[in-house]
């Protein structure tokens, strides 16, 4: 039985086509999200632009459904005008919120239309209290949490933050934490951060006997709706902008049924779309081999058997908007109907009543005609009337009056509310510096470090510095883990404070939450490449956050990097194995757990290329590329820092790589130039 003192979370549905828009709205969604233009994380889905966007918003608002527009990809400097145009169009359409990843989009949206709500995308990989608070500080009213969190971790975050939280409740799971997956970009020139992920994780990758070691089953937490409600989660999000209208309708209907205390069929959901069933591994925190699965031919066949039944869920509008009506039928004047939904009130005129020949018009007859709202989103709660004696109005006239009243109310609800919209300042006021590049080495362990005065700066993980404080100096930065889940947040902050007390000044940060952690400990943040900086505005945004130096995204090409403007020292990685994925569900884990794993398993693809996996203190794992990046011998942009990213190398291998970079020598072994000279970003 529902506790009516608690607020129901919003049911947020994915939309990729006009068909799925109708399916979401008619099946009972409270809100929808879709893309507008190229700057969204599902370019393969249909986009709503121009008049199509405005009509979609009008349709949704008329049916009581909010609209969140995704503008959640990385952008380049040369795309800023297009982004401004898109944001202006979204603001003018009357959409309720935008979902953002790039700091440029966030800053520009606030400038163009302060009334437009900002939601931090799951592409920002926010997974802890510090990350949510950081986005609150930046003006986000809502944060879409990472899908890898357990329900207890979500509860922890909610208890310590005030922003609205949005959580995924059903749909596909990315193997990597979203926004910091580069597998598609590095292996196939299609960046997930640009909305073009080719989903190579669904291909055969072998690890510890598993053939599809990077393919997770879809999540389905619908049965736990009440727990999300009790925690105070604001919105429950269904993944699937590339899915069919039937998928959208079935999942929306299932969540709505649970909300209303009705049973739903998980089997129907499995038949519509699954990968051998669903997983609750992240929800419960039981992350094991049972989370993995692929879509089979049997899965696809079962879908055909349920589609016709599912289509019945969205044949037409659901009468869910309560309205009250009042009819005034007076002699010698047009009949008048007022319709009120609690926010909008409209009045329409109809036919002039005639004198009754035998039976006068009754209040009961008027109410019977006015309550017929089929084919509209309205449900009549009450009907009042004032009727002069001795009058008659045909049923056809009453029906016409009702239709006119409901049409007028529909239009009033659909009307675009005017907002103040401003032209953004697209100029970049910072200039590039042309300093002599300094060498920055990222070490994975203290065992790789060799004293070398030619290394200008370096970093070590904070756990390594905590165990080896002798390495603390002006040159060193403590690397905060890419992922710090809520149970480790307090300990991580304590280590940072301890290192600060021992003389550490800098922290290497790879996540927006880590910036807040570093500053809270009194450390100066140096931004890593996983912050995904690809434009000058984002650089300025991080400068304003207190970041002292910044590595650009390794998805950005060298020619584009050359044009960046900055008041900060900028760097790029020129050598080392790039981190392709951050994995909370380790593909090397067996049904017996971690067992005798040494923390460095290997994963192989269809061509027998081997990808190292490095365990990060059994909190998460990092998948590295099969071959190292090496561009130190190529013409590079005149940046301030050239980075060597060490991972699984031995001390001797690390030393040899550093020497090669310093000498700008050609590579000595198989390598990749990554995205540096490709048209990826």
């Amino acid at each position: 039985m529902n506790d009516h003192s608690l607020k129901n979370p919003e049911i947020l549905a994915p939309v990729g086509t006009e068909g799925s828009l109708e399916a979401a709205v008619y099946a009972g969604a409270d809100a929808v999200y879709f893309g507008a233009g190229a700057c969204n994380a599902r370019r393969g889905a249909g986009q709503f632009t121009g008049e199509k966007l405005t009509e979609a918003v009008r349709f949704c608002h008329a049916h009581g459904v909010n609209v969140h527009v995704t503008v959640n990809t990385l952008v380049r400097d040369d795309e800023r005008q297009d982004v401004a145009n898109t944001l202006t169009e979204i603001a003018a359409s009357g959409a309720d919120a935008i979902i953002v990843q790039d700091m440029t989009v966030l800053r520009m949206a606030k400038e163009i239309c302060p009334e437009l709500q900002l939601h931090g995308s799951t592409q920002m990989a926010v997974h802890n209290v510090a990350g949510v608070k950081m986005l609150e500080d930046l003006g986000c009213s809502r944060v879409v949490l990472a899908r890898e969190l357990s329900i207890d971790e979500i509860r922890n975050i909610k208890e310590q933050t005030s922003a609205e939280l949005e959580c995924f409740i059903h749909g596909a799971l990315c193997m990597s934490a979203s926004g910091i997956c580069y597998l598609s970009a590095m292996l196939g020139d299609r960046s997930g951060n640009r909305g073009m992920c080719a989903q190579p994780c669904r291909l055969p990758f072998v690890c510890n006997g598993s053939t599809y070691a990077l393919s997770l089953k879809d999540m389905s937490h619908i049965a736990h709706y009440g727990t999300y409600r009790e925690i105070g989660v604001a919105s429950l999000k269904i993944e699937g902008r590339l899915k069919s209208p039937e998928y959208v309708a079935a999942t929306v209907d299932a969540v709505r049924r649970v909300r209303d205390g009705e049973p739903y069929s998980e089997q129907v959901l499995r038949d519509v779309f699954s990968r051998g069933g669903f997983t609750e591994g992240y929800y419960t925190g039981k992350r094991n081999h049972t989370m993995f699965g692929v879509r089979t031919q049997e899965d696809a066949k079962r879908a055909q058997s349920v589609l016709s039944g599912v289509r019945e869920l969205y044949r037409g509008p659901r009468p869910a908007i309560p309205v009250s009506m009042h009819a005034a039928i007076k002699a010698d004047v047009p009949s008048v109907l007022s319709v009120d939904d609690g926010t909008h009130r409209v009045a329409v005129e109809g036919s002039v009543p005639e004198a009754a020949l035998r039976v006068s018009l009754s209040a009961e007859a008027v109410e019977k005609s006015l309550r017929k709202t089929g084919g509209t989103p309205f449900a009549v709660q009450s009907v009042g009337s004032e009727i002069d004696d001795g009058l008659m109005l045909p049923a056809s006239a009453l029906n016409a009056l009702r239709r006119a009243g409901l049409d007028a109310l529909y239009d009033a609800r659909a009307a675009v509310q005017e907002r103040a919209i401003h032209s953004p300042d697209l100029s970049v006021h910072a200039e590039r510096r042309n300093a002599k590049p300094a060498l920055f080495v990222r070490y994975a362990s203290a065992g790789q470090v060799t004293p070398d005065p030619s290394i200008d700066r370096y970093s070590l993980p904070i756990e390594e510095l905590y165990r080896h404080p002798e390495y603390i100096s002006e040159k060193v930065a403590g690397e905060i883990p890419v992922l710090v889940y809520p149970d480790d947040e307090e300990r991580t902050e304590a280590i940072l404070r301890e290192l600060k007390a021992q003389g550490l000044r800098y922290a290497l940060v790879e996540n927006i939450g880590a910036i807040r952690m570093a500053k809270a400990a009194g450390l100066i943040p140096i931004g890593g490449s996983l912050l995904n900086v690809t434009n000058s505005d984002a650089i300025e945004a991080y400068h304003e956050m207190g970041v002292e130096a910044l590595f650009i995204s390794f998805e950005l090409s060298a020619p584009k990097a050359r044009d960046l403007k900055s008041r900060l020292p900028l760097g790029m990685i020129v050598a080392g194995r790039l981190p392709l994925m951050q994995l909370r569900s380790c593909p090397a884990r067996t049904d017996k757990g971690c067992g005798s794993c040494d923390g460095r398993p290997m994963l192989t693809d269809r061509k027998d290329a081997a990808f190292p996996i490095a365990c990060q203190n059994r909190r998460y794992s990092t998948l590295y590329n099969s071959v190292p990046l090496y561009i130190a011998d190529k013409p590079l942009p005149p940046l301030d820092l050239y980075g060597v990213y060490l991972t699984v190398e031995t001390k001797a291998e690390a030393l040899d790589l550093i020497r090669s970079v310093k000498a700008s020598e050609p590579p000595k072994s198989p390598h990749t130039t990554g995205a540096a000279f490709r048209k990826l970003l």
Side-chain angles (χ1 to χ4, degrees), residues 430-496:
E431 291 297 328
R432 278 292 310 121
R433 305 187 316 167
N434 290 308
K436 180 182 178 182
L439 184 63
F440 188 109
V441 177
R442 182 268 186 184
Y443 292 105
S445 68
Q448 293 172 322
V449 179
T450 299
D452 185 343
S454 67
I455 295 175
D456 300 283
R457 302 182 83 166
Y458 69 95
S459 68
L460 271 170
I462 58 172
E463 293 277 2
E464 289 288 279
L465 282 176
Y466 189 67
R467 288 189 287 266
H468 301 280
E470 65 271 18
Y471 285 104
I472 294 176
S473 71
E474 280 289 313
K475 278 189 173 185
V476 74
E479 181 185 342
I480 299 175
V482 177
L483 303 176
V484 181
Y485 292 104
D487 286 350
D488 293 322
E489 204 163 352
E490 187 175 333
R491 181 176 182 275
T492 301
E493 291 169 345
I495 290 174
L496 291 172

Side-chain angles (χ1 to χ4, degrees), residues 259-391:
R259 180 197 65 192
D260 296 344
E262 302 173 4
Y264 79 99
S265 172
E266 184 176 293
Q267 186 60 49
V268 169
L269 294 179
R270 291 180 66 160
D271 289 345
V272 169
F273 190 94
S274 81
R275 291 182 169 90
F278 300 124
T279 178
E280 291 186 345
Y282 284 134
Y283 180 92
T284 62
K286 296 177 181 177
R287 301 177 294 275
N288 55 40
H289 70 289
T290 65
M291 294 181 66
F292 293 81
V294 294
R295 186 155 174 81
T296 64
Q297 289 184 345
E298 288 73 21
D299 291 328
K301 287 178 182 177
R302 282 197 296 270
Q304 298 304 315
S305 67
V306 298
L307 293 184
S308 60
V310 171
R311 291 184 188 115
E312 294 300 320
L313 298 172
Y314 61 101
R315 289 292 184 191
R318 183 181 300 273
I321 300 167
V323 297
S324 59
M325 293 183 172
H326 186 273
I329 300 173
K330 304 288 187 179
D332 303 323
V333 294
S335 52
V336 176
L337 176 65
S338 300
V339 189
D340 191 326
D341 66 2
T343 303
H344 308 86
R345 187 176 186 277
V346 297
V348 295
E349 291 186 348
S351 301
V352 177
E354 302 171 3
L357 298 177
R358 283 183 284 182
V359 181
S360 298
L361 186 64
S362 67
E364 291 76 15
V366 170
E367 181 168 353
K368 183 179 179 181
S369 289
L370 295 184
R371 281 191 175 275
K372 298 174 183 177
T373 61
T376 78
F378 304 114
V380 178
Q381 300 297 296
S382 64
V383 177
S385 59
E386 297 177 52
I387 308 171
D388 285 353
D389 292 336
L391 297 179

Side-chain angles (χ1 to χ4, degrees), residues 182-189 200 205 580 605 611 625-626 678:
Y182 308 95
L183 188 69
S184 179
M186 293 299 113
L187 301 189
D189 286 354
F205 282 89
L580 301 184
D605 68 6
F611 297 76
N625 206 353
S626 58
R678 290 186 278 163

Side-chain angles (χ1 to χ4, degrees), residues 496-518:
L496 291 172
R497 290 192 298 271
E498 175 62 25
L499 293 175
K500 166 66 175 174
Q502 295 188 49
L504 185 69
R505 289 195 63 202
Y506 301 99
L508 180 64
V509 298
E510 299 278 14
N511 181 273
I512 194 163
I515 297 175
R516 188 180 178 92
M517 289 184 191

Side-chain angles (χ1 to χ4, degrees), residues 514-579:
I515 297 175
R516 188 180 178 92
M517 289 184 191
K519 292 174 68 177
L523 298 172
I524 301 169
I526 296 173
S529 57
L530 302 194
L531 289 177
N532 290 329
V533 171
T534 59
N535 60 73
S536 302
D537 263 359
I539 295 168
E540 182 63 17
Y542 283 113
H543 172 72
E544 292 173 1
M545 291 180 216
V547 172
E548 186 173 274
L550 191 61
F551 280 87
I552 62 174
S553 168
F554 49 76
E555 289 193 333
L556 188 67
S557 70
K560 295 297 181 184
R562 187 179 299 275
D563 296 333
L564 291 172
K565 306 293 190 297
S566 174
R567 291 194 283 169
L568 290 177
L570 289 186
M572 69 184 301
I573 297 174
V574 300
R577 289 183 188 267
L578 296 178

Side-chain angles (χ1 to χ4, degrees), residues 609-627:
F611 297 76
I613 300 172
C615 180
Q616 310 293 346
N617 297 312
R618 295 199 174 181
R619 298 299 191 268
Y620 65 97
S621 300
T622 303
L623 176 71
Y624 294 110
N625 206 353
S626 58
V627 290

